[in-house]
Amino acid sequence: MQRPLHSVSGENNGMPKTNYLGRRTVSIENEFLRLTVTEEGGHIAEVYSKRADVNPMWTPPWPTMEPSALKPEQEVLYGGDAEAKLLSGILGHNLCLDIFGGPSEAEAALGLTVHGESSILPYTIEESGNTLTCTAHFPLAQIDFVRTLTLEGEGIRIEERVTNKVGFDRPIAWTQHVTLSPPFLDPATTEFRMSAAGPAMTHPESLGEAAYLKQGAPFGWPNAPTVNGSGVVNVTDMKPDAPASSYIAVLMKPQSYFSAWSPKYRFAIAYVWDGADFPWLGIWEENRSRSHAPWKNAGVTRGMEFGVSPFPESRQSMVERGHTLNTPGFKWLPANGTLSATYFIRTFVTNEPPVDVTA
């Protein structure tokens, strides 16, 4: 039975607060699902299926904590760089806004972390029946953000609104960093499906300590070129043996989705979104390859990261890249303006991978 520590820890203005893996969280549930969101970082930490008795969302193999509680002397435990605060608190599905990747030296000196403030700042979370509304102001980016999550049977409807608080148009990254892990995820048996349009490319920089794909190589989905140039490999599913690491960006069809199905749990999770909102799917694979802290060759994850940018990189690199495979790599947020998007999580208890996750 896969039941992580989860308990009611009190109330705030009448709203039940929960404790998940020692973190301050807020949960709502119905007869099918329990949805848990962290107060710090706003991560979707738990999409727990009561029927399958599993949470597919990423739980890192290192201790998780509130990013605000991370002391300078503890940062070395989480890598000791601009990613440390993010990794100290990351769980499940985190938001990358308004960068997708690392900060510049100047940005880092001001406190900007990898993937931006969105993944470390405190959120105000309000419950109304089967809905959670999560709001935050990003002081460095000068952005207001609202995410509304509504339980709908065996699925979740998610609406997001990004508001520019400055008086000029600006390029932004905006990526849903959805990461899956064991016990749901098994590199050898978990089956993936996605609505890839065809054009794809491997990351133009290093793919990690155990990279098996050629870097910076365009290819036709799903057959990516191997690092030694000896052939191609179908990258729909994970490489089953460790160590392995890779990152692929693939353009998605207008009706976009991915699904992951576990034969062990007979359970599938899917995300469905509008390709006009998020045209790219970045597929990040980490299978016991990273030796440095906090990974220590223990991480097993697959990130299914859909957004407006193909690759995690600095803001300057994102802007200078401009287009990849003839498709923009960022969005323009208008002066004092707003962008919005709606997408869905759907879950299935099924003996085989679901055929139509978009219905």
Side-chain angles (χ1 to χ4, degrees), residues 215-228:
Q215 70 184 60
F219 66 94
W221 181 265
N223 297 312
T226 57
V227 69
N228 58 12

Side-chain angles (χ1 to χ4, degrees), residues 14 94 107 109 117 123 134 166 173 175 181 187 195 204 206 248-249 271 278 319-320 325-326:
N94 67 291
E107 289 171 333
E117 304 161 272
Y123 284 67
C134 310
V166 298
T175 291
S181 78
S195 58
S206 172
I248 301 154
Y271 277 72
F278 304 118
V319 173
E320 290 178 349
L325 302 176
N326 298 315

Side-chain angles (χ1 to χ4, degrees), residues 39-52:
E39 288 188 347
E40 289 198 20
H43 307 304
I44 301 174
E46 190 182 38
V47 181
Y48 173 73
S49 168
K50 296 180 180 180
R51 291 206 291 156

Side-chain angles (χ1 to χ4, degrees), residues 178-180 185 192 235-238 283-284 301-304:
V178 181
T179 311
L180 310 175
L185 179 68
F192 289 82
V235 289
T236 303
D237 297 325
M238 294 182 69
I283 303 175
W284 163 54
T301 67
R302 202 182 210 201
M304 306 296 285

Side-chain angles (χ1 to χ4, degrees), residues 36-158:
T36 300
V37 177
T38 64
E39 288 188 347
E40 289 198 20
H43 307 304
I44 301 174
E46 190 182 38
V47 181
Y48 173 73
S49 168
K50 296 180 180 180
R51 291 206 291 156
D53 189 28
V54 69
N55 170 34
M57 312 305 282
W58 183 27
T59 301
W62 54 80
T64 180
M65 64 186 296
E66 309 298 352
S68 65
L70 183 67
K71 299 176 182 178
E73 62 269 23
Q74 294 175 302
E75 291 184 4
V76 66
L77 301 175
Y78 296 96
D81 55 16
E83 198 174 20
K85 186 168 284 189
L86 168 68
L87 293 180
S88 72
I90 196 167
L91 289 169
H93 169 172
N94 67 291
L95 172 71
C96 307
L97 182 74
D98 66 332
I99 59 171
F100 176 42
S104 68
E105 287 187 16
E107 289 171 333
L110 291 173
L112 195 65
T113 54
V114 171
H115 296 328
E117 304 161 272
S118 50
S119 293
I120 64 166
L121 289 177
Y123 284 67
T124 298
I125 306 178
E126 298 180 350
E127 179 195 14
S128 178
N130 63 345
T131 296
L132 291 179
T133 301
C134 310
T135 61
H137 173 68
F138 306 159
L140 292 176
Q142 285 297 296
I143 280 175
D144 284 346
F145 177 75
V146 181
R147 174 189 276 165
T148 303
L149 308 99
T150 303
L151 286 174
E152 298 180 338
E154 293 188 81
I156 303 165
R157 176 187 178 94
I158 303 177

